[in-house]
Amino acid sequence: MTLAAATDLAVATNEHLASTSNTLIYSSMAVYTLAFFAYIAEWLFGSRSKVGRTAAALTAAGAQKASGPAVTVRQSGGTAVLERPKIVVRSASGARDVPDGPGAHGGDEQGDLYGRIAISLTALAFLVELGGVVCRAASVERAPWGNMYEFNITFSTVAVGVYLGLLALKKNVRWLGLFLITSVLLDLGLAVTVLYTASDQLVPALHSYWLYIHVSTAIFCGAVFYVGAVATILYLFKDSYENKLEAGGKPGSFATSVLERLPAAASLDKFSYRVNAAVFPLWTFTIIAGAIWAGDAWGRYWNWDPKETWSFITWIAYACYLHARATAGWKGRKAAYLALLAFGCWLFNYYGVNIFVSGKHSYAGV
């Protein structure tokens, strides 16, 4: 085979892989859409099962009360049996002792079935989308993070992977499914319509092993920050709902149907704090890795480029949130607002800087 023929074959193979990648991305969107409707069905059937949710809550409360022996106290001339002491597991200051909701299915068997179908479809769509990302990488023989389109499809894949990973670890996050898949569909729709860029080679500055280290950690951190932000938003709604009930108010039927099935506000607050705190050291490493890469590529570790500046601003915002969360006077809603502000900084760094601000990172293109 001549060199020209080998070159033509390589080009044809890469074009075929790029076409396959596009097909897989569109296929994953179709499966995600099916999962979206399954999640909707789970919430709809759960909304009709007020009796089931009440029974589930009573059963859980009864099981908790029945677990373990009563306390036996010896007295002179006999013994006395006392009720087990009430144990409050919420450690947040001022938190209410409110049980977690049963989930989107609301204790309804049919709702639970649709929820399981939704998770299965989400896992299938994740595998299809992952195949699309891998084919995209193979078509250009590099990491698929050279432009905003590639970053978007990889980000949504990792976000779904984080969700499925939490489910595999038996974490109570099924309530996240509908909100996650909705945003993933929006993200992929934006990627294939506005941000799509044909496969191409990287600019010289990106030919470094630091691409795999720095960009991969940035994508993972963003996916985890997103999960934390969704939990924070839901916490604010659930906290308002619990405040209204505590004050003797009566929320609307729609708010009641949705919010009573979510985890308690204290649980959502704790979950968002834990995921943000867990990934914050990795975000710190991401910035350090980027600085080292900048030193190798441009001769300076820090040049106050817009991307560098907003990465640092995001770091400061999340550091303020974590500090506030550890300060008694700033727990709860005040800290939650800081968390959302920090995620807003990350979003602007992701979309705004790449698209609207010129700088050394403008090679990403759209």
Side-chain angles (χ1 to χ4, degrees):
M1 181 181 293
T2 64
L3 179 60
T7 302
D8 291 341
L9 178 61
V11 171
T13 301
N14 290 342
E15 290 178 350
H16 176 70
L17 287 171
S19 176
T20 302
S21 172
N22 294 339
T23 301
L24 288 174
I25 294 299
Y26 278 105
S27 299
S28 70
M29 292 177 67
V31 182
Y32 279 132
T33 302
L34 295 176
F36 170 79
F37 285 116
Y39 282 117
I40 289 290
E42 179 187 20
W43 280 92
L44 288 177
F45 280 101
S47 70
R48 304 189 308 177
S49 112
K50 175 74 174 178
V51 175
R53 293 196 297 277
T54 304
L58 292 174
T59 302
Q64 182 179 6
K65 184 177 180 181
S67 61
V71 179
T72 302
V73 180
R74 292 190 177 277
Q75 296 178 341
S76 56
T79 60
V81 179
L82 306 178
E83 292 288 339
R84 292 187 74 231
K86 183 179 181 181
I87 300 174
V88 179
V89 297
R90 307 279 190 261
S91 59
S93 177
R96 311 171 193 85
D97 184 23
V98 178
D100 292 338
H105 58 83
D108 182 86
E109 292 185 6
Q110 201 165 9
D112 182 61
L113 174 63
Y114 278 108
R116 293 177 184 277
I117 292 173
I119 293 172
S120 300
L121 289 171
T122 301
L124 175 60
F126 166 76
L127 293 175
V128 174
E129 186 182 10
L130 180 62
V133 173
V134 171
C135 286
R136 177 76 177 197
S139 70
V140 288
E141 301 177 353
R142 59 167 173 78
W145 310 320
N147 51 64
M148 283 292 290
Y149 168 74
E150 294 173 354
F151 200 96
N152 262 43
I153 61 175
T154 305
F155 173 77
S156 59
T157 304
V158 174
V160 176
V162 170
Y163 169 64
L164 294 175
L166 290 171
L167 286 175
L169 293 173
K170 308 298 184 183
K171 302 298 182 181
N172 177 24
V173 293
R174 261 178 67 171
W175 47 267
L176 184 62
L178 177 61
F179 309 98
L180 173 69
I181 297 307
T182 301
S183 58
V184 164
L185 283 171
L186 292 174
D187 179 76
L188 290 176
L190 181 66
V192 300
T193 55
V194 178
L195 301 177
Y196 181 77
T197 304
S199 300
D200 200 359
Q201 294 303 313
L202 297 174
V203 297
L206 294 181
H207 286 286
S208 171
Y209 61 88
W210 283 106
L211 172 70
Y212 297 90
I213 300 173
H214 172 64
V215 181
S216 63
T217 54
I219 292 173
F220 180 77
C221 288
V224 178
F225 283 148
Y226 165 76
V227 171
V230 173
T232 301
I233 292 172
L234 294 178
Y235 157 74
L236 291 173
F237 280 105
K238 188 62 182 280
D239 186 62
S240 296
Y241 172 77
E242 291 180 3
N243 283 335
K244 192 167 187 177
L245 289 178
E246 193 173 39
K250 185 177 180 181
S253 58
F254 178 78
T256 299
S257 175
V258 172
L259 295 175
E260 72 176 1
R261 286 179 274 164
L262 293 176
S267 296
L268 290 169
D269 183 41
K270 186 183 298 183
F271 174 78
S272 61
Y273 169 69
R274 285 178 174 176
V275 297
N276 286 327
V279 81
F280 181 73
L282 187 60
W283 181 248
T284 305
F285 170 78
T286 301
I287 296 176
I288 295 173
I292 296 173
W293 186 11
D296 289 345
W298 301 320
R300 292 185 64 177
Y301 291 106
W302 197 266
N303 197 36
W304 294 106
D305 179 77
K307 176 69 73 172
E308 297 170 345
T309 302
W310 275 95
S311 296
F312 182 63
I313 291 173
T314 303
W315 186 91
I316 291 292
Y318 273 107
C320 290
Y321 161 70
L322 295 177
H323 177 71
R325 205 41 189 72
T327 304
W330 275 81
K331 287 184 179 179
R333 298 184 70 87
K334 291 181 180 179
Y337 293 137
L338 276 178
L340 293 181
L341 176 64
F343 184 68
C345 293
W346 188 91
L347 275 182
F348 181 77
N349 190 33
Y350 176 25
Y351 286 107
V353 173
N354 281 358
I355 297 175
F356 303 111
V357 182
S358 297
K360 288 183 176 293
H361 289 77
S362 297
Y363 54 73
V366 294

